[in-house]
Amino acid sequence: MATFGDLGNVVGVRRAWIGAQGDLVIGGRYISEIDLASGSVVVRDLFVGLGDRQDRGELQAGHFLEPFSLEIGAPSYSFPFMETSPVSVLDPLRSWGLGIFRARFSETTFALGVFQAGTGPNDFEIGDGSTVGLTGKLTAAPINEGDGERLVHVGLAFSERLPERGVIVIGVPQQATLLGLGDFPSSPFAPRISIPASFQQLLNLQCAAANGPFWTQAEWYGTWIDQRGGGGVFFHGCHADCGYFLTGEHRPYQGASGTFGPIRVNRPLLGCHATPDRPAGWGAWELAARFSYLDFRDSDTPRGPTGQLVGLRLPDFTFGVNWYLADHLRLMFNYAYVLPDGPNTGTSAANVFAARLGIYW
């Protein structure tokens, strides 16, 4: 499946094969997805997967998303907001690596991998902020009925990072596109913080629940950085989201990955060959709200190049209306009220209005 999501130009090719030798059957897939939205070629997914997640596990090798947060794990074309929460800058995102992914009975998932994250768009360059790491994630869905129509999801993820140049960088990654697509966290308020360090630890706690058209999810992120020549630095943040489909749809739950998938519109406004069994209507309407908070203030954070204090506290209230005209077409409207609190400037306020047309296939 190729995806074109949220005004970005993404070219993707996916192939699958099944091979057999005697009684041994090996399944696999090859995934390649390239992002052109920034004006240059950026590799997003480029990996080979061998095996079946719901059997003995799938082994992945290449460039892919590290198993970490719930919101970054959701595809951009099904994410309910135009941007992920500001605290998601702590997610390690995509890296070159080798990982094992396993799911059991659509109720639990386990993933573990070793990764190398560079500083350039394709993670090839080694510089300040590049790391090697061990990342793992465990999720469980003790209640999962009707493809996520009734759901309880909990999860835990961790990552141990070693800086290749002795510097950990916190902030908007250089891989981020100008359009801030769903799995590239971005915030014009979050500072870029460089810390000489020997290692970094990341932790994510997540939960989600759904009852028919109502859904909610929440996550807490924390990072501990062992600073060279100074005290340890601790940053953290959280977000809590909720939403409701006025037209009765629900967010499908993908048990093999422990994430949410694309919406199936009950009464699409624009029909196609894939929806002959569904009556025409006014599409699906979703209301969504999110509160997020990040605290990147620590007294042991090294000062900036001119001696200024570095850090930020950021409460963020976001409200959205999503109109799904069809399964693969939606209009998004977001309003955010943001209160950045800087150590040198104090608290200010910003009102952000945004709209987006998203098409994917």
Side-chain angles (χ1 to χ4, degrees), residues 135-177:
T135 302
K137 182 178 181 180
L138 177 66
T139 72
I143 299 176
N144 180 15
E145 301 174 4
D147 192 28
E149 195 165 7
R150 290 190 67 249
L151 174 74
V152 172
H153 162 103
V154 292
L156 167 70
F158 74 92
S159 186
E160 183 85 17
R161 321 293 295 189
L162 299 177
E164 296 180 277
R165 289 291 182 88
V167 177
I168 292 294
V169 176
I170 302 295
V172 179
Q174 295 183 16
Q175 301 99 308
T177 67

Side-chain angles (χ1 to χ4, degrees), residues 6-246:
D6 297 344
L7 294 182
N9 297 313
V10 181
V11 179
V13 178
R14 303 194 177 193
R15 301 191 180 104
W17 71 89
I18 298 294
Q21 181 177 355
D23 295 329
L24 176 64
V25 177
I26 302 176
R29 57 181 179 146
Y30 162 74
I31 306 293
S32 64
E33 191 171 292
I34 300 172
D35 187 352
L36 305 176
S38 62
S40 59
V41 177
V42 177
V43 175
R44 287 162 60 83
D45 288 316
L46 182 62
F47 67 88
V48 173
L50 297 175
D52 187 339
R53 292 190 179 197
Q54 295 181 310
D55 186 13
R56 297 184 178 181
E58 179 187 33
L59 183 67
Q60 287 186 190
H63 192 263
F64 53 93
L65 198 64
E66 296 190 30
F68 199 70
S69 70
L70 181 61
E71 60 177 349
I72 294 293
S76 61
Y77 50 81
S78 65
F79 192 68
F81 300 97
M82 289 178 57
E83 307 287 354
T84 56
S85 66
V87 72
S88 64
V89 298
L90 293 179
D91 193 293
L93 300 178
R94 284 174 165 82
S95 306
W96 294 99
L98 176 68
I100 181 71
F101 296 79
R102 191 171 185 184
R104 295 290 292 173
F105 311 116
S106 298
E107 295 177 356
T108 61
T109 70
F110 170 77
L112 183 67
V114 291
F115 299 92
Q116 191 276 331
T119 57
N122 294 305
D123 287 305
F124 292 136
E125 294 84 353
I126 304 300
D128 288 354
S130 61
T131 61
V132 294
L134 174 69
T135 302
K137 182 178 181 180
L138 177 66
T139 72
I143 299 176
N144 180 15
E145 301 174 4
D147 192 28
E149 195 165 7
R150 290 190 67 249
L151 174 74
V152 172
H153 162 103
V154 292
L156 167 70
F158 74 92
S159 186
E160 183 85 17
R161 321 293 295 189
L162 299 177
E164 296 180 277
R165 289 291 182 88
V167 177
I168 292 294
V169 176
I170 302 295
V172 179
Q174 295 183 16
Q175 301 99 308
T177 67
L178 296 175
L179 298 172
L181 300 183
D183 61 347
F184 288 104
S186 61
S187 171
F189 308 103
R192 190 171 177 85
I193 304 173
S194 298
I195 302 174
S198 55
F199 67 85
Q200 175 192 23
Q201 296 174 328
L202 293 163
L203 182 66
N204 174 278
L205 304 175
Q206 56 188 252
C207 63
N211 186 8
F214 175 79
W215 61 266
T216 183
Q217 68 182 53
E219 292 183 275
W220 177 85
Y221 298 73
T223 182
W224 294 262
I225 301 172
D226 182 49
Q227 181 179 192
R228 296 182 184 273
V233 177
F234 173 65
F235 297 148
H236 68 103
C238 63
H239 73 91
D241 315 358
C242 66
Y244 185 80
F245 284 93
L246 300 175

